Amino acid sequence: MAKIKVKLKCENIAPLESLDNEFENYSLKIGVFANNGCGKTFISRMFRLLERNTEVSDSTTTPNTDRLITLGKKSASFGFRVTDDAGIAVEDITINLTASSNPTIPTTRFLYHTFNQDYVDDNIRALDFEHTDDVQGFILGKTNIDLTDDNKKLVGITSARATLKDDITKKIESYISKYITPITNIRKLGDYGQFVSADIFLAHGDAKKQTLSKSFDEYVADYDKVKSVPENLADIDSINTFDFSQEQYNEIQTLLSTAYTLSSFGESFKEEMKSKQDFVEKGLSLVKTSEGRCPFCKQKLDSDALSLIDKYNDFITNEEAKIIRRIQGLMQLVETKRKEISGIKTKNLAAINRYNDYKTKYIPSCEGKSLAELDIVILDGTLVALKEALETKHKDISAVVSFPTDEKTFEVQVLAFNNSVTDNNSLITEINSRKNTIGEENKAIRRNICKAAYNHWIEKYGKDQLQYLELGKQEELLKSEIEKKKASQKVEKKKLVSETIKNVLDYFFSGKYTLDEKTFRLVFQSKTLEKNQTKNVLSEGEKNIVAFAYYLGDTHTVIEKEEDYKRLLFIIDDPISSMDFTYVYTLSGVIRDIKSLFPKMERVRHIVLTHNSDFIRILSSNNILDKVLLLKNSALHEWNDNFTVPYINHLLDIYKIARKGEKATHTTANSIRHIIETIDKFESINSNEDSVKIFIKNNIPNDKKSYTYINDLSHGGWRTEQPPMTDDDYKEVCETIVSLVEGRYPNQIKYCQDNS
């Protein structure tokens, strides 16, 4: 049988600060004995990290692997290597641990299943020694259907799809790195996660374009604009509306349409007065304070002059003069309103220039909008006509002057003008608001950049994406067909778990305890235990037996397909805690019979760790282990069988003297005595010194030297009258013992024959 090499390496794994050992063996049926505190449990914990679905972190802040690192150290490593006889590594794994970090668990060839206190605490004790009934899934068996062509086709599709994905991903990631990543804070946007990713692009089956008004490059240009907005950029001033009240309009209309009666003054006087009215009025105001003298030439005014002045005063106070003054005031008002609309137009033009500057340089979201130019031609024409009508009225207040524009038309003109102003003011308010909240503008553009990039990829790689998705459909369809074919021989895991647990329990309890297959509750003397009752019924030793039974049953939960059984490697750390010694023998038998519990394994692999010397002796002497090692001082040493199986070693020594020609030593007599006492104790149970003597007398002829030699020299005695024993004498006595054992237990001598 070819040998394998096994290497175990631990660096800063708790007490194992520097363990590096390699040894040869014929199998992976290995035992490790260690006293408490030597580190065997830490070895089992490292193996447990290699299991499927094992949580390596129990906290968001501190990984539970930190407890595996030697105190005071920041890192550690664990290595396990198995090499076949040709020097090819069939398993070669390394786990690196770093404080406060979760380790990366390597892919393994073996399928590890570990029993230790952590397993019991996590899976058994946490459930009060009950087993969860939530066992899901199936194990796929071998099928007689030839899947070679299907698998070959599947490999081809998978490979083509992977190649296409890799090509698209590289192009998109290059685009992202070059054009999108440099944009500040764009990764924080929800739209980034929704659109900017090769995986997202490939996953979208419909690949619908986003509705946008611009291209990617245009949005990037917009982004450059908004990020260049100067601080304290002034608002654009709003435009005043044109104010011409209804009362003013009605007054003009009434004045123009009313024929006023002429006074008693002559026409020439009236004309003269009209032309000098302002002068006359000013002079009259000065006469009041001139003490009867002309305010201009300072001559004393006679009675005729004073009479004329009185007439002037009467005229001024006449209603006609009031009308004339009012006409003049309205003429001035109309001229002022003409200047007002002209000023509004001028201010509007300035606002248009600033608006266009802002939207072009800084606020791209307003690019599609513009302020309207104000058309004052019609409204100004109406005002001009209105002024001319007033001038006509001013010349002849008795005339009825037709109004150039009716009330309704003029109102419409004013409303239209002001509506244009209001519309412009709305756009001005909007652009001012966008300027003052430029961050939102920036964010909106960055969102559109994400969407535009997605649209760009649809244009560039849309056909490739559709091909990728089609290959995915083909892949899933073919996988489904293969799984349907495989499913023809799949086995429910739950059934296998329950059967194995029941079989293992029967080893120990012979029907006293079993398992209810439906509820997964423990059955005690044919009665199913209630929830939370199990922990109160079982003794501590029985709890460990049940835990070990659950462990072996759970083996099926790590199996996905029948071939996985061939990869199993059991790691078993001290399963015998609190067990009676009878149960220790039974558990050893369970380990020996693992192959019968899992017949599809083909080759048994287990590493048993313990600090119980009797347990390791039983496993070793019954060939359950092929190799036993001693863990001490961070090193693995060859185990000395004399510590655990002295009987077989004594028998080997006697056999070699009797039939291999080796020389006797000073320990030969003790070896013979040990063999006799062991056989007598095995056959008589209550062995003592008298019973040993009786056994010797009854089974060894008195005419041989054996009795004296065994009964005397094995106790250190020496009689001077007794002659020394020769080599032939030793050989003769040893042959007597070997023959005795061979007659009763021939396989023991056969073992000596095979191992000497």
Side-chain angles (χ1 to χ4, degrees), residues 127-144:
L127 298 176
D128 292 329
F129 289 88
E130 295 179 357
H131 195 292
T132 176
D133 62 349
D134 185 23
V135 179
Q136 304 293 329
F138 298 86
I139 296 174
L140 298 178
K142 292 181 179 178
T143 176
N144 295 324

Side-chain angles (χ1 to χ4, degrees), residues 147-265:
L147 299 175
T148 303
D149 291 340
D150 287 339
N151 286 326
K152 185 176 180 181
K153 184 178 179 181
L154 180 61
V155 169
I157 293 173
T158 303
S159 177
R161 189 166 185 255
T163 300
L164 189 58
K165 179 181 180 180
D166 185 60
D167 180 59
I168 296 173
T169 300
K170 285 180 179 178
K171 291 176 180 177
I172 290 178
E173 288 180 348
S174 175
Y175 190 92
I176 293 171
S177 176
K178 185 175 181 180
Y179 297 109
I180 300 178
T181 301
I183 297 175
T184 305
N185 294 330
I186 196 167
R187 290 178 177 270
K188 295 181 179 180
L189 298 175
D191 294 85
Y192 186 93
Q194 186 177 354
F195 295 103
V196 185
S197 164
D199 289 338
I200 289 172
F201 173 71
L202 290 171
H204 285 178
D206 49 6
K208 292 181 180 178
K209 279 190 172 184
Q210 299 299 302
T211 302
L212 298 172
S213 60
K214 298 181 181 181
S215 68
F216 178 84
D217 291 339
E218 288 172 324
Y219 280 120
V220 171
D222 288 348
Y223 171 75
D224 291 336
K225 292 177 183 178
V226 298
K227 72 178 183 180
S228 64
V229 175
E231 292 186 11
N232 302 320
L233 184 65
D235 284 354
I236 300 175
D237 293 333
S238 60
I239 313 300
N240 296 327
T241 56
F242 178 60
D243 182 21
F244 201 108
S245 70
Q246 188 68 33
E247 290 78 7
Q248 292 169 331
Y249 176 85
N250 291 339
E251 184 180 358
I252 293 174
Q253 186 182 43
T254 301
L255 188 148
L256 291 176
S257 61
T258 302
Y260 295 98
T261 304
L262 295 176
S263 66
S264 58
F265 296 103

Side-chain angles (χ1 to χ4, degrees), residues 594-750:
I594 279 181
K595 180 67 169 64
S596 64
L597 292 171
F598 306 100
K600 295 181 175 63
M601 285 182 63
E602 291 190 359
R603 181 177 299 169
V604 175
R605 303 182 190 90
H606 49 64
I607 298 176
V608 181
L609 304 105
T610 184
H611 63 263
N612 188 296
S613 60
D614 283 322
F615 182 43
I616 204 76
R617 174 184 62 77
I618 294 169
L619 295 174
S620 176
S621 62
N622 287 278
N623 295 323
I624 299 170
L625 300 175
D626 291 339
K627 186 81 168 181
V628 179
L629 301 167
L630 171 66
L631 176 60
K632 184 178 181 181
N633 298 327
S634 288
L636 293 170
H637 308 275
E638 292 287 340
W639 179 253
N640 187 343
D641 286 340
N642 287 319
F643 293 152
T644 56
V645 284
Y647 170 82
I648 195 65
N649 284 280
H650 285 308
L651 184 60
L652 276 168
D653 288 345
I654 299 304
Y655 176 84
K656 291 174 183 177
I657 295 171
R659 299 186 180 178
K660 294 291 184 176
E662 292 191 6
K663 301 295 184 181
T665 67
H666 65 284
T667 64
T668 301
N670 283 326
S671 295
I672 295 173
R673 178 81 183 192
H674 180 88
I675 293 167
I676 295 299
E677 288 179 345
T678 301
I679 295 174
D680 180 52
K681 185 174 182 64
F682 178 76
E683 294 182 349
S684 303
I685 304 300
N686 295 318
S687 177
N688 53 49
E689 187 172 350
D690 290 337
S691 66
V692 171
K693 291 180 180 179
I694 294 172
F695 180 88
I696 294 173
K697 287 182 179 180
N698 291 339
N699 293 282
I700 300 176
N702 286 330
D703 59 338
K704 297 286 182 73
K705 302 179 181 65
S706 304
Y707 175 77
T708 303
Y709 179 68
I710 293 168
N711 198 42
D712 192 22
L713 295 185
S714 65
H715 285 85
W718 182 267
R719 296 175 185 171
T720 55
E721 67 272 17
Q722 181 180 346
M725 291 187 69
T726 64
D727 288 338
D728 290 337
D729 292 333
Y730 283 120
K731 182 176 181 179
E732 181 180 354
V733 174
C734 289
E735 177 59 38
T736 299
I737 301 303
V738 169
S739 297
L740 174 65
V741 175
E742 191 171 32
R744 282 176 163 78
Y745 315 109
N747 283 338
Q748 293 188 11
I749 302 305
K750 186 176 184 306

